[in-house]
Amino acid sequence: APYIQTAEEDKALVVPLKQANDLPSFLQALSDVKFPRMVTLKKGTFDEDVKKELMDVRRDYKKIISDMQEKLSPNALSELLSVFQEIRPRAQKLVSLTKEFSLALQENKKEKNILDFSDIEHYALEVLVDEEGQPKPIALEFQEQFQEIMIDEYQDSNEVQELLLSSISGEKRGHFNYFMVGDVKQSIYRFRQARPEIFVGKYKSYDRDLSKDHVRIDLTRNFRSRKNVLDFTNDIFDRIMAEDMGGVNYDGPARLNLGANNYPEVNDSFFKPEVLMGSKEQYPIREYDITSSQEFEANIIADRIVSLIREGHVTDKESGKLRSIRPGDIVILLRSIDTLADKITEALSQKNIPSH
């Protein structure tokens, strides 16, 4: 009973934190938290397991509060407010300058009869949605007109696009015609204000029960690649992708599962993914008159392509049968064409391999 009493007293300490309705009162309540010492009892008069469990929970609980007290002390708030006061005039000037620039830019665009993609989005928003984010009459008309609204690459949608499309869907009046296709693992446009969390939110909340209004259908099979490629990719992403890095746990539905059954059975060793490792001993720099690491890499790639064309084979799309590899079957993916593209083109040309 004494240990239960201690737990109840600890619980009571955080009540003022929950009741605080602004930051200063929360910080004051936080600084007032002081944990009482646990009652000491004679052995044999209490359950040791219960005591240990309570002490473990209490230790973690006290550490959380202690860390918060250290980081969110009243002095820290005072210092933060002082910094805010110092930068306030500069921030206000920056906001004012940004608004002036935006107005001047829009006037200049009007004079030259120019619109960019962002302008089109926001003008459409003005037409369809009011200041409260509610559909205007014209949006309601579109809701009656469209039978289906289909969105591809949904993981790269932003808040503006989501508001636009939801305003003309019939979802709010019970007509669930909003069809979205996407894969959060392929989201690459955060720098353009894409919000993959919009996709993730629906992915988590939608049901797999097809009788529901909001249904999620997992397309779990991959029809583009051989098993060798999928196994290699899965082996990498099993290790590095999780919900806090990539937006999704790389588990059953998220993995690349083999769906293709139209590849001819051949010696799998040829189709195994490989990592090309080059050394100066294997590729003497003087042999190619190489002056940089980029030229070195380009020549290793070109050499491998020569051997693929000479020895390799690929499944023909039309016949479904194996044939010899042609230059047009090969694609080189680069992070940016500004780095290696010219070097690779030159290395291929020296080996009489066409490229574009």
Side-chain angles (χ1 to χ4, degrees):
Y3 291 137
I4 298 300
Q5 182 181 345
T6 300
E8 292 294 339
E9 290 174 357
D10 288 349
K11 183 178 177 182
L13 288 173
V14 299
V15 171
L17 297 177
K18 295 173 67 176
Q19 293 175 341
N21 54 16
D22 56 40
L23 184 57
S25 59
F26 176 84
L27 292 175
Q28 184 58 54
L30 181 63
S31 67
D32 292 340
V33 175
K34 294 180 177 59
F35 291 93
R37 292 187 61 181
M38 287 188 67
V39 178
T40 302
L41 298 176
K42 293 182 178 180
K43 282 192 174 184
T45 62
F46 56 87
D47 188 322
E48 288 283 357
D49 292 337
V50 172
K51 179 184 177 183
K52 183 180 183 308
E53 183 177 355
L54 178 60
M55 291 183 67
D56 289 344
V57 171
R58 195 169 192 258
R59 182 183 60 251
D60 295 339
Y61 179 63
K62 288 175 66 175
K63 186 177 187 310
I64 292 171
I65 297 295
S66 176
D67 289 346
M68 290 176 64
Q69 288 174 328
E70 183 179 342
K71 295 175 182 177
L72 299 174
S73 67
N75 289 338
L77 176 62
S78 177
E79 292 173 8
L80 185 61
L81 290 175
S82 176
V83 171
F84 284 166
Q85 290 295 334
E86 184 179 341
I87 67 174
R88 181 179 180 183
R90 300 182 188 124
Q92 288 176 326
K93 190 65 178 177
L94 182 60
V95 170
S96 175
L97 182 62
T98 302
K99 288 181 177 179
E100 289 179 24
F101 175 80
S102 180
L103 289 173
L105 179 62
Q106 292 304 321
E107 287 300 319
N108 193 266
K109 286 179 180 178
K110 284 182 181 179
E111 290 178 9
K112 298 184 177 181
N113 208 21
I114 292 173
L115 289 176
D116 61 25
F117 185 74
S118 179
D119 292 327
I120 296 171
E121 282 184 324
H122 284 84
Y123 285 138
L125 202 63
E126 289 180 17
V127 171
L128 295 171
V129 179
D130 64 23
E131 293 182 357
E132 302 297 323
Q134 298 302 312
K136 289 182 177 180
I138 189 169
L140 298 177
E141 290 183 25
F142 280 131
Q143 289 181 15
E144 297 288 342
Q145 178 179 337
F146 294 126
Q147 293 298 312
E148 302 286 348
I149 296 175
M150 301 183 181
I151 310 162
D152 197 9
E153 304 294 351
Y154 188 62
Q155 75 279 351
D156 290 320
S157 293
N158 60 38
E159 295 282 7
V160 173
Q161 294 161 354
E162 176 70 1
L163 185 54
L164 278 173
L165 293 170
S166 61
S167 74
I168 60 174
S169 80
E171 192 161 320
K172 290 184 178 179
R173 55 187 178 84
H175 182 204
F176 300 97
N177 61 342
Y178 206 47
F179 187 83
M180 301 148 280
V181 177
D183 181 355
V184 72
K185 301 190 298 299
Q186 297 182 34
S187 180
I188 59 173
Y189 288 111
R190 279 185 181 269
F191 69 96
R192 291 182 181 171
Q193 286 73 55
R195 296 289 300 275
E197 54 266 34
I198 298 174
F199 176 97
V200 172
K202 294 185 178 180
Y203 180 84
K204 289 180 177 179
S205 63
Y206 282 25
D207 204 301
R208 295 185 187 179
D209 184 348
L210 299 181
S211 67
K212 302 290 186 180
D213 293 329
H214 297 103
V215 178
R216 174 181 124 201
I217 302 172
D218 292 318
L219 304 178
T220 60
R221 293 193 294 165
N222 180 289
F223 295 88
R224 293 182 174 180
S225 303
R226 289 179 178 272
K227 184 176 184 298
N228 316 64
V229 176
L230 302 185
D231 287 347
F232 178 76
T233 306
N234 285 333
D235 189 50
I236 293 174
F237 284 94
D238 277 338
R239 303 165 192 266
I240 67 173
M241 182 171 278
E243 189 166 357
D244 59 352
M245 181 182 172
V248 65
N249 288 318
Y250 202 76
D251 54 15
R255 298 177 92 251
L256 297 175
N257 301 294
L258 182 65
N261 57 6
N262 57 332
Y263 289 115
E265 292 294 330
V266 293
N267 179 8
D268 273 352
S269 62
F270 178 78
F271 293 103
K272 284 183 179 178
E274 58 187 15
V275 177
L276 297 181
M277 306 290 289
S279 67
K280 294 178 182 179
E281 291 72 27
Q282 183 182 2
Y283 296 89
I285 286 183
R286 265 172 273 163
E287 179 182 337
Y288 298 114
D289 191 25
I290 293 173
T291 59
S292 73
S293 60
Q294 290 182 348
E295 291 178 7
F296 184 53
E297 184 176 350
N299 278 277
I300 292 175
I301 293 170
D303 273 0
R304 182 61 180 128
I305 290 175
V306 168
S307 67
L308 286 173
I309 293 173
R310 184 172 58 244
E311 306 165 4
H313 41 271
V314 67
T315 304
D316 188 83
K317 286 185 178 180
E318 294 182 2
S319 68
K321 298 179 180 179
L322 290 176
R323 61 165 172 78
S324 297
I325 289 179
R326 304 165 187 160
D329 297 320
I330 299 171
V331 175
I332 302 173
L333 300 179
L334 301 175
R335 184 178 181 87
S336 169
I337 61 171
D338 296 332
T339 52
L340 272 174
D342 290 342
K343 304 291 185 185
I344 293 176
T345 300
E346 182 180 350
L348 292 172
S349 177
Q350 290 173 359
K351 301 178 188 301
N352 298 315
I353 298 174
S355 62
H356 62 274

